[in-house]
Amino acid sequence: MPASAVIAVLCVLLVIVVILLVSLRVIPQYQRAVAFRFGHVKPLYGPGLKVVLPLIDSLHRVDLRTITLTIPPQEIITKDNVPARVNAVVMFRVVDPQKAVLEVENYAVATSQIAQTSLRSLLGRVDLDTLLAHRDDLGSDLREIIARQTGPWGVEVVIVEIKDIEIPEAMQRAMAREAEAERERRAKVINAHGELQASAELRDAAETLSQAPASIQLRYLQTLLELGADQNSTVVFPLPVDIMSGLTKMLGSEGQPGSQGDH
């Protein structure tokens, strides 16, 4: 065989080997591939070694893992006209790779835009108190809204969480004053309830003591012992009110004109 023929055969074999090496594609377990041959979609490629013919076939890889998408801070105005900056995080995954390639140009960018628009639209319909107190409920509503838009694209929204809510400092100070006033109101109400309960207990105690006069004297003696327990030099002797009223009546009767002491 002439040398030129051998060289030609070697060149052909080399070209075939290069084409085979270029045509081989390895698809990982967490990916799927949507292949097109002359522009027509082929059956979905699963994981493993696949052959893609150059200049004939084209391959689009789709990641099936859960993707975390951070929504940048959005300027919103709540229902009660309070400006705020809100950001959130969206977790989604592709459940139908063919739809993700055929139905939308870039499913990640499209999902991000839908999430930003839905976030501004939903939070603009609630007041600030609802926004601060019901983040989980708002996140669930937001997930349902985004899922309805991304469902035809083969994208499933797993979770939506509202992360941070920034409000103006003036509003923060007003909320702090409101919270302080609320705490003072509760303290006053609790104090009033305590006074009411104490007065009821004192009334019951007075009724009980009035049924046994000797118990009143024992209470007086107990009070003296409590006062002397601190080594106090001053002794306070409680005097019953009924004795004071009796003395007052006697003094008043003696001071009247025409009494026996005047004769």
Side-chain angles (χ1 to χ4, degrees):
M1 182 180 292
S4 58
V6 173
I7 294 174
V9 171
L10 292 177
C11 291
V12 171
L13 293 176
L14 181 61
V15 170
I16 293 174
V17 170
V18 171
I19 292 175
L20 288 176
L21 292 176
V22 173
S23 300
L24 296 179
R25 296 288 189 275
V26 178
I27 301 175
Q29 184 68 35
Y30 56 84
Q31 287 184 351
R32 298 294 183 271
V34 179
F36 294 89
R37 176 165 294 176
F38 296 113
H40 296 280
V41 65
K42 295 181 62 180
L44 189 67
Y45 283 0
L49 184 64
K50 304 298 179 182
V51 177
V52 180
L53 301 178
L55 304 177
I56 297 178
D57 296 339
S58 61
L59 200 67
H60 296 270
R61 298 174 181 266
V62 179
D63 200 327
L64 301 183
R65 294 175 294 182
T66 300
I67 301 174
T68 301
L69 175 66
T70 300
I71 302 176
Q74 302 294 312
E75 299 284 347
I76 65 169
I77 298 179
T78 60
K79 187 178 180 180
D80 49 352
N81 298 323
V82 177
R85 287 170 57 88
V86 182
N87 63 346
V89 60
V90 179
M91 295 184 180
F92 65 93
R93 62 171 176 261
V94 177
V95 294
D96 192 335
Q98 285 190 349
K99 287 185 178 180
V101 174
L102 297 176
E103 300 295 335
V104 64
E105 181 180 3
N106 190 324
Y107 63 87
V109 175
T111 303
S112 176
Q113 296 298 320
I114 289 295
Q116 295 178 33
T117 305
S118 302
L119 180 66
R120 291 192 298 267
S121 176
L122 175 65
L123 300 186
R125 298 196 297 266
V126 299
D127 53 18
L128 182 61
D129 293 338
T130 304
L131 178 59
L132 295 175
H134 301 283
R135 290 190 185 185
D136 294 339
D137 296 337
L138 293 174
S140 300
D141 296 340
L142 188 60
R143 185 189 65 81
E144 293 178 0
I145 294 174
I146 300 175
R148 285 198 298 267
Q149 301 292 328
T150 60
W153 305 337
V155 176
E156 178 186 9
V157 180
V158 179
I159 189 173
V160 178
E161 288 288 344
I162 298 175
K163 294 174 58 179
D164 297 326
I165 302 174
E166 300 179 5
I167 58 178
E169 294 184 0
M171 181 58 63
Q172 294 181 12
R173 291 193 294 269
M175 293 173 63
R177 291 195 299 269
E178 181 183 0
E180 183 178 359
E182 178 65 19
R183 287 193 297 268
E184 291 180 355
R185 183 189 68 83
R186 292 180 181 178
K188 291 180 180 178
V189 171
I190 292 173
N191 189 21
H193 281 293
E195 293 292 339
L196 179 61
Q197 293 177 1
S199 62
E201 295 294 336
L202 288 174
R203 181 193 60 192
D204 296 339
E207 292 178 355
T208 303
L209 292 174
S210 63
Q211 296 175 3
S215 61
I216 299 178
Q217 299 298 329
L218 293 175
R219 186 68 181 117
Y220 290 159
L221 295 175
Q222 184 180 2
T223 303
L224 289 176
L225 292 175
E226 292 175 356
L227 293 174
D230 296 334
Q231 298 180 358
N232 193 353
S233 59
T234 303
V235 177
V236 179
F237 185 77
L239 193 63
V241 179
D242 53 355
I243 297 177
M244 294 296 297
S245 61
L247 293 175
T248 303
K249 291 181 180 179
M250 291 176 60
L251 293 176
S253 62
E254 290 179 357
Q256 292 179 356
S259 60
Q260 294 179 359
D262 295 337
H263 291 288

